[in-house]
Amino acid sequence: MSVPLSAVAVRKQFGDTSSTNKRSRSLTSDDEQESESLTQSPKQSHDFDYLTAEAAIETEDLSTQGVSGHQTLGQLCSFQPSDGNVLQDDENILTLRLKAGETLCVLGQFDLRVKEGVIRLVGATLPQGSIHRVYSSVVHSIPLIQCVPSENPEREAVLELHACKSGLRLLKRISPMFDRIWNEKPSEESNATGLATKIQRSFAPLYTTEDDGIKRRIYLMDISPRWETILSRISSIRERTPVVLVCGPKATGKSTFVRYLANRLLTLHVRNGQSTEGRSHDGVAILDADPGQPEFSPPGQLSLVQLHTPVFGPPFSHPYVPQIWGNRLIRAHSIVASSPKDDPFHFRDCIYDLMKHHRKIPGSVPLLINYPGWILGSGLDVLLDLIRAASLTDIVYTSELGPVEIVQTLQEAAGPIPFHTLQSQPTANRARTAAELRAMQIQSYFHLNPSQNISLAWDATSLTHIKPWVVSYSGRRPGIFGVMVCGEHIPAAAHLVEILNGSLVSITAIEHEITNDDDDNHNDVKASNGLQVTRSPPYDLPLATLPHNAPFPPQTSRTLGLALIRGIDTQAKTLHLLTPILGSELRHLHHHNTKLVLVRGRLETPGWAYVEEMQRRARKEKKTPPKKNDTTGSRGDPATDSVVVETRALFDGVEMPWVVLPDADNTKINPGLPSGARTVQKRRRRDIRTK
């Protein structure tokens, strides 16, 4: 998430370059300077025919989060370094002077500070004095920084690019999906002119394709003149607050258009380098209705967020919206699936509820609705209902290839509402599939470091080394009221352990009072809204169900986020949960008797979580070959290696789904349990139960 920094934060960020994230190593470590000679072979691009049958259109394809790209060979930007326009170049700061109209390509993570002039980036116009965090990776098309001409055609822009340490790039230690996506160590053959630095920072300017250290294909983000026209037309609305619906087939640029439009609306007040009064005072609301490729939440969720600062980065760089600088998550619902096809009515009700909460926001806050690429069958019915129910000012359809019948139906439903048909802008970048992007989004979400309050930060510790929350599911005041399994069949309570262990669940808060017949025994518990909780031996897990196995109504519930069930202690009747949700929020809800229900759905199995420790070890062993006289095996000495302990060292009776590896003496060990785990159980475990 891109956020401006306060004066104190600016001094911390730019005045003291020695400060680092305490939970991650420096970016100048050997791990970050590692360079591999093998290049990644990009996947072949595919042509799309949106006039084919529904099955072809609905087939999962690449996320549109990084669309609008085209491959560029040779020169990447119009800015070329020289002694006159490179003002500072050291291991922390790169200061450049851009002429009017010049563009700059930068790969990596950095804090962008505009010292003089005005620049444009991903639709946002940034004036002098503004500071923003930017994430630019090869997984998505790279945006260009452009110096905006002003009334004085000779006016230039001076930019400062500061190295930053968010911890996001360190996730490559535990996942190959995050490897080789940022700037890498330059090769000896690159940069023949000697003008670009070879210093390994968290970012690197790319003037030509030769400046990429490992010679990858570079795709630049670009939008068509037609897009620019529609963006300008919508953002210039003055008579009423814009409410814009963006829809279209898969992989046509819907998310990119929403991001450009949001950034433009947020910076409308910038004129000739000065900030004036404008609509951005109230921010912009985004209703993200695409559970398969969400922008501000983990997959499986629909969310309503309010932004006051532009967004400069792919979705996995902001899988959560922290409540700072006016940005906030207003409300979210989880359908616990990457596609809404299984329950279109619940999907529609979730959108309606989020629209209702947008109307409750004080002031005139524009609303941008990003609808998924599900535009046939039941998806079209939901879309038509949405057009009729919402007070839209504009509808944007991101394809000129139809299907013709769909476009005509939407135009008839729109009536007098302006209907803009745009040329689709699918990317040629195939670095990651849609499923891989979802996995990256969820993995980034679970590795968020909630202790950071200036901007988002990440902790690259493997999940098997993170102490879980220990939450009771039994007793007078259990931390978890029940567990719900969404699907066609209601499982028996005795099978819940096998179904839940190692799975992703949504933590859902029930916002109305639930009355129990009896809290002291293990009989079936019925709530006033039809919710029934069944407990069965031997594990006594509470199975929550509604009539007809319906999901929770969005009008009376909301999702807090995702959790990973790390283990189940059937003896103590507790669940071990891993979640980036703040413990203070969970305690607050529990203190106010809010019922929390874990909802398991059809989200992909988190295989990445099971092998993080294996990936970390494999990477470490690749970098550090075993010594000649090392007879303990590649795993290290069990007496000194803190990650080698017995499987049952943490909690007796806790079933762990994690990968079990053989030790040097062929005994079974769990690679994720920390040493001294019994002490952790007795003295240091976190528990949201009230004593």
Side-chain angles (χ1 to χ4, degrees), residues 327-587:
N327 302 324
R328 63 181 180 128
L329 171 65
I330 298 175
R331 192 173 179 84
H333 298 296
S334 179
I335 64 171
V336 285
S338 59
S339 172
K341 295 179 182 178
D342 292 327
D343 196 341
F345 297 106
H346 179 60
F347 173 65
R348 181 195 59 190
D349 292 343
C350 290
I351 296 177
Y352 283 0
D353 182 71
L354 296 178
M355 291 171 54
K356 181 184 70 175
H357 281 78
H358 167 258
R359 291 192 290 268
K360 296 180 180 179
I361 303 176
S364 300
V365 181
L367 175 64
L368 311 181
I369 305 174
N370 184 16
Y371 192 81
W374 183 39
I375 59 171
L376 296 180
S378 299
L380 178 60
D381 295 336
V382 175
L383 183 55
L384 294 175
D385 291 342
L386 178 58
I387 292 175
R388 299 184 186 103
S391 300
L392 301 174
T393 61
D394 293 89
I395 299 175
V396 177
Y397 189 82
T398 55
S399 175
E400 293 180 340
L401 299 180
V404 177
E405 297 81 1
I406 301 298
V407 175
Q408 291 177 348
T409 301
L410 294 176
Q411 289 175 333
E412 292 174 0
I417 303 174
F419 190 95
H420 312 285
T421 301
L422 299 181
Q423 179 183 4
S424 62
Q425 305 230 119
T427 181
N429 191 350
R430 304 292 180 182
R432 299 292 184 271
T433 65
E436 288 171 336
L437 289 173
R438 279 194 295 272
M440 293 176 70
Q441 183 91 337
I442 295 182
Q443 194 166 15
S444 172
Y445 173 79
F446 274 96
H447 283 277
L448 284 172
N449 184 353
S451 64
Q452 303 297 315
N453 55 10
I454 294 178
S455 61
L456 291 182
W458 288 262
D459 184 356
T461 303
S462 59
L463 293 182
T464 49
H465 284 267
I466 298 177
K467 293 184 292 293
W469 290 98
V470 180
V471 186
S472 67
Y473 61 80
S474 184
R476 289 192 58 84
R477 295 194 64 204
I480 295 300
F481 180 75
V483 177
M484 175 177 286
V485 179
C486 294
E488 297 179 358
H489 303 288
I490 301 177
H495 297 159
L496 279 181
V497 170
E498 291 79 9
I499 294 174
L500 296 175
N501 207 3
S503 65
L504 293 173
V505 292
S506 169
I507 302 180
T508 300
I510 310 301
E511 295 181 322
H512 57 75
E513 184 65 22
I514 295 179
T515 59
N516 296 338
D517 295 333
D518 190 355
D519 257 339
D520 296 328
N521 56 43
H522 293 163
N523 296 332
D524 293 353
V525 178
K526 292 185 178 180
S528 57
N529 65 334
L531 177 66
Q532 180 173 343
V533 178
T534 305
R535 297 178 183 270
S536 300
Y539 305 122
D540 206 35
L541 278 167
L543 176 61
T545 57
L546 286 171
H548 310 292
N549 200 24
F552 285 111
Q555 299 83 357
T556 57
S557 65
R558 62 185 176 93
T559 184
L560 306 178
L562 291 182
L564 177 60
I565 298 183
R566 171 71 164 79
I568 302 176
D569 189 340
T570 56
Q571 296 180 4
K573 292 182 172 55
T574 57
L575 301 174
H576 298 176
L577 303 180
L578 295 173
T579 179
I581 302 173
L582 291 175
S584 57
E585 183 178 1
L586 297 176
R587 291 192 185 96

Side-chain angles (χ1 to χ4, degrees), residues 199-364:
I199 300 174
Q200 177 65 7
R201 292 175 289 221
S202 64
F203 67 92
L206 300 182
Y207 310 121
T208 68
T209 53
E210 293 298 316
D211 290 319
D212 179 33
I214 55 177
K215 301 297 186 296
R216 293 163 291 189
R217 292 186 179 184
I218 302 299
Y219 296 87
L220 300 179
M221 182 178 291
D222 188 21
I223 62 175
S224 66
R226 170 67 175 168
W227 277 46
E228 282 284 358
T229 301
I230 300 304
L231 287 168
S232 299
R233 183 178 303 173
I234 295 176
S235 60
S236 63
I237 296 176
R238 294 291 183 268
E239 296 77 15
R240 55 185 300 192
T241 302
V243 179
V244 183
L245 171 64
V246 182
C247 57
K250 292 178 179 290
T252 54
K254 297 182 296 295
S255 297
T256 297
F257 186 88
V258 170
R259 192 181 302 125
Y260 265 80
L261 182 56
N263 288 350
R264 184 176 293 241
L265 290 171
L266 287 168
T267 56
L268 278 177
H269 59 294
V270 178
R271 293 291 183 271
N272 297 323
Q274 302 297 325
S275 296
T276 60
E277 292 297 328
R279 180 178 284 131
S280 65
H281 175 74
D282 297 322
V284 173
I286 297 179
L287 197 165
D288 193 351
D290 187 352
Q293 302 292 342
E295 181 79 23
F296 299 104
S297 66
Q301 289 188 16
L302 313 182
S303 63
L304 176 66
V305 301
Q306 184 177 8
L307 303 179
H308 282 79
T309 55
V311 178
F312 303 121
F316 63 78
S317 68
H318 46 258
Y320 168 76
V321 179
Q323 296 192 23
I324 53 177
W325 310 112
N327 302 324
R328 63 181 180 128
L329 171 65
I330 298 175
R331 192 173 179 84
H333 298 296
S334 179
I335 64 171
V336 285
S338 59
S339 172
K341 295 179 182 178
D342 292 327
D343 196 341
F345 297 106
H346 179 60
F347 173 65
R348 181 195 59 190
D349 292 343
C350 290
I351 296 177
Y352 283 0
D353 182 71
L354 296 178
M355 291 171 54
K356 181 184 70 175
H357 281 78
H358 167 258
R359 291 192 290 268
K360 296 180 180 179
I361 303 176
S364 300

Side-chain angles (χ1 to χ4, degrees), residues 100-101 117-118 147-156 271-273:
V118 183
C147 176
V148 179
S150 63
E151 295 178 352
N152 181 2
E154 297 182 358
R155 185 174 183 178
E156 301 173 332
R271 293 291 183 271
N272 297 323

